[in-house]
Amino acid sequence: MNGGLLVAGTTSDAGKSVVTAGICRWLVRQGVKVAPFKAQNMSLNSFVTREGAEIGRAQAMQAQACRVEPTALMNPVLLKPGGEQSSQVVLLGRPVGEMSARGYHGGRQQRLLGTVLDCLAELRGTYDAVICEGAGSPAEINLRRTDIVNMGVARGARLPVLVVGDIDRGGVFASFFGTVALLAPEDQELVAGFLVNKFRGDVSLLEPGLDMLQGLTGRRTYGVLPFRHGLGIDEEDGLRVSLRGAVRESAVTPPAGEDVLRVAVCAVPLMSNFTDVDALAAEPGVVVRFVDRPEELADADLVVVPGTRGTVRALAWLRERGLADALARRAARGRPVLGICGGFQILGEHIEDEVESRAGAVDGLGVLPVRVRFAGEKTLARPSGEALGERVEGYEIHHGVAEVLGGEAFLDGCRVGSVWGTHWHGSLESDGFRRAFLREVAAAAGRRFVPAPATSFAALREEQLDRLGDLIEQHADTDALWRLIESGAPQGLPFIPPGAPA
């Protein structure tokens, strides 16, 4: 078998990432050696592979669904927004510079198509099947000429295309029809059919519409996936994280001790790797929320200042909102604060940045004895070590180099009283360390909170990936999906006018 499939969507956030992961998990349970692929990802949530390459966290999650180690081949191009109109371009896991949207779409993107197709070909030579994820919509006619992630890669690799639509948003029939009708004939011949996502209610009431859609387009629907809470794992961007059940809905899980523990996460601009708090939200009795006002810190037992792609910008935002003063008061009173990556840098005394913001010398909040200098070379690493008597693993993605001038050592960062800072993302996924850390937080906060002794973040993640595989197995036509992956798009699919404009 040398199969492949591109999972496209009628819109951004239609469910491409989770559908791709679900198909991957379903296939691997059938004994298929499968890998994920996304040619180009735009996300501030990234991950570091074992070879030190930076890729989108969604592809790392999909690799876990496949039960394989993630590599740079699975996400050859990663764009990390740094402002309204520019992004850092990460190619094969390494940053190659900043570029405006106009500059990228003006020629650089199209030149990367060969690299993208080479990576896909290498994966297809190694695995029985490669399940590719598109981006946005394939019908973005203003970008089709330079597209390397939707129909560009589908046509280049002759991949069948399955279009996912989020029916919870409404207008899914028009979205399916319009998506096909705005594609060129050569692209339309690869669009095999549709998959409805997030359906609520009686499927029999939907079936007449699906029949009419097939009559209009000549393309079948491969499944209707029901709405399920808690499936948005490792989102590419936004604030839709485990607070809404991406790992487990903590609101319905009773605490192991007498008290709950309240965690407030500062919703800083250009927030990156907010998935760090997923492991906290997975703990029974831990309530996590995002905040943007100082009064929302008042009842928090722990405040997290998360990573950001704009440390100096986030620091200014905290000051403008009054959150900086609130954080300083917390630190002075011995109330727990955790800074991760950019958040760690913000908590320091001084920042010298001629790389990310080019702001030069900027005073930090001064609650940790740390001075930060931004280097041109990005640190990408998978460190491991020990803290609070427990083994810890994490990953690092940052330009800022921290000089620690005092305090207690803490995960290559430092701790002063109840303020902790580290560049390590993902450390809270280490179960023993997370429990030890939460015990310290609870003691400092005066809460009778007890971490549940058996919570395993890895097991919860596996449980969730299996739920995605179950959705595909139970609610998609898997026989037809198998034929599509193995044999490609059906021959003789009709052209739907008007097609793409010249």
Side-chain angles (χ1 to χ4, degrees):
M1 182 179 182
N2 183 18
L5 176 70
L6 176 73
V7 178
T10 56
T11 62
S12 294
D13 197 30
K16 297 182 291 291
S17 294
V18 293
V19 167
T20 299
I23 293 174
C24 286
R25 178 50 61 102
W26 162 65
L27 284 172
V28 81
R29 294 196 307 206
Q30 310 308 308
V32 177
K33 187 181 179 184
V34 60
F37 180 79
K38 185 163 185 173
Q40 173 191 289
N41 202 342
M42 177 173 279
S43 179
L44 289 173
N45 279 341
S46 57
F47 181 77
V48 179
T49 67
R50 295 217 176 271
E51 72 267 30
E54 185 179 8
I55 66 172
R57 269 201 71 106
Q59 280 60 65
M61 175 269 291
Q62 291 161 358
Q64 187 175 347
C66 297
R67 298 182 178 138
V68 298
E69 192 68 33
T71 73
L73 293 174
M74 296 172 184
N75 179 207
V77 182
L78 173 64
L79 305 178
K80 303 193 73 175
E84 293 298 320
Q85 297 185 2
S86 68
S87 294
Q88 183 180 64
V89 181
V90 179
L91 179 62
L92 293 174
R94 298 290 173 183
V96 294
E98 296 278 337
M99 189 166 288
S100 69
R102 180 181 292 274
Y104 185 66
H105 289 286
R108 176 64 182 268
Q109 183 183 33
Q110 197 170 23
R111 292 195 295 273
L112 293 174
L113 181 59
T115 300
V116 162
L117 292 175
D118 286 347
C119 291
L120 178 56
E122 188 170 342
L123 287 174
R124 296 186 78 181
T126 305
Y127 292 88
D128 300 329
V130 178
I131 308 302
C132 308
E133 180 189 343
S137 163
E140 291 167 351
I141 54 179
N142 56 315
L143 303 177
R144 176 61 185 92
R145 182 179 60 85
T146 57
D147 170 43
I148 64 169
V149 64
N150 290 306
M151 301 314 300
V153 73
R155 199 192 296 190
R158 303 304 299 171
L159 291 173
V161 178
L162 184 68
V163 181
V164 177
D166 180 355
I167 198 170
D168 203 42
R169 295 183 173 196
V172 74
F173 293 116
S175 298
F176 282 145
F177 183 87
T179 296
V180 179
L182 282 176
L183 299 179
E186 297 84 358
D187 291 340
Q188 286 195 23
E189 69 182 26
L190 295 173
V191 178
F194 313 107
L195 186 76
V196 176
N197 191 29
K198 299 183 185 177
F199 180 72
R200 306 172 191 249
D202 186 345
V203 175
S204 66
L205 299 177
L206 187 67
E207 288 170 349
L210 301 179
D211 292 340
M212 286 186 273
L213 182 66
Q214 184 166 2
L216 288 166
T217 66
R219 291 159 174 85
R220 58 164 299 167
T221 297
Y222 283 77
V224 177
L225 307 185
F227 185 93
R228 291 285 187 268
H229 287 285
L231 293 180
I233 52 179
D234 289 1
E235 302 289 354
E236 292 185 348
D237 274 310
L239 290 182
R240 299 177 311 97
V241 289
S242 52
L243 326 185
R244 282 178 35 179
V247 175
R248 172 169 287 179
E249 293 182 287
S250 56
V252 300
T253 309
E258 296 180 47
D259 287 345
V260 298
L261 208 62
R262 295 173 176 84
V263 178
V265 185
C266 296
V268 297
L270 298 174
M271 184 165 49
S272 61
N273 287 66
F274 53 73
T275 47
D276 283 332
V277 301
D278 282 1
L280 293 178
E283 280 285 345
V286 175
V287 180
V288 184
R289 68 184 189 272
F290 284 85
V291 303
D292 60 4
R293 295 178 297 180
E295 57 268 27
E296 293 177 294
L297 304 188
D299 68 343
D301 302 307
L302 169 67
V303 174
V304 177
V305 187
T308 171
R309 172 87 160 86
T311 298
V312 171
R313 177 176 167 183
L315 177 57
W317 180 87
L318 289 168
R319 286 182 167 133
E320 290 165 4
R321 296 257 173 169
L323 285 159
D325 289 340
L327 286 166
R329 289 193 297 270
R330 282 188 68 90
R333 295 169 183 167
R335 301 184 67 194
V337 178
L338 170 65
I340 303 174
C341 199
F344 168 42
Q345 297 164 10
I346 285 168
L347 297 179
E349 298 172 352
H350 184 79
I351 299 168
E352 192 74 34
D353 181 11
E354 299 291 351
V355 176
E356 191 175 75
S357 67
R358 296 181 173 84
V362 178
D363 288 334
L365 297 189
V367 298
L368 286 177
V370 174
R371 298 178 69 86
V372 176
R373 177 185 55 82
F374 275 67
E377 187 76 14
K378 181 185 279 191
T379 297
L380 297 170
R382 288 280 294 269
S384 61
E386 188 174 296
L388 306 181
E390 299 287 347
R391 186 73 177 165
V392 190
E393 294 184 351
Y395 58 99
E396 294 184 66
I397 307 168
H398 54 92
H399 283 279
V401 178
E403 180 187 5
V404 178
L405 303 173
E408 300 175 47
F410 177 74
L411 300 181
D412 292 343
C414 67
R415 170 188 182 176
V416 174
S418 294
V419 180
W420 296 265
T422 177
H423 273 133
W424 291 22
H425 294 290
S427 63
L428 295 167
E429 295 179 18
S430 298
D431 297 326
F433 166 72
R434 182 180 65 255
R435 286 191 278 270
F437 176 72
L438 289 176
R439 282 192 290 269
E440 295 246 352
V441 169
R447 294 286 186 187
R448 290 171 295 181
F449 169 84
V450 178
T455 302
S456 166
F457 184 80
L460 288 172
R461 175 54 55 86
E462 278 296 303
E463 174 187 305
Q464 195 174 33
L465 291 170
D466 277 332
R467 289 177 66 201
L468 294 178
D470 293 343
L471 273 180
I472 298 299
E473 190 168 326
Q474 296 167 11
H475 300 282
D477 185 338
T478 52
D479 289 340
L481 197 57
W482 184 280
R483 290 193 298 271
L484 188 62
I485 294 168
E486 191 173 35
S487 304
Q491 297 296 308
L493 292 169
F495 171 73
I496 308 300

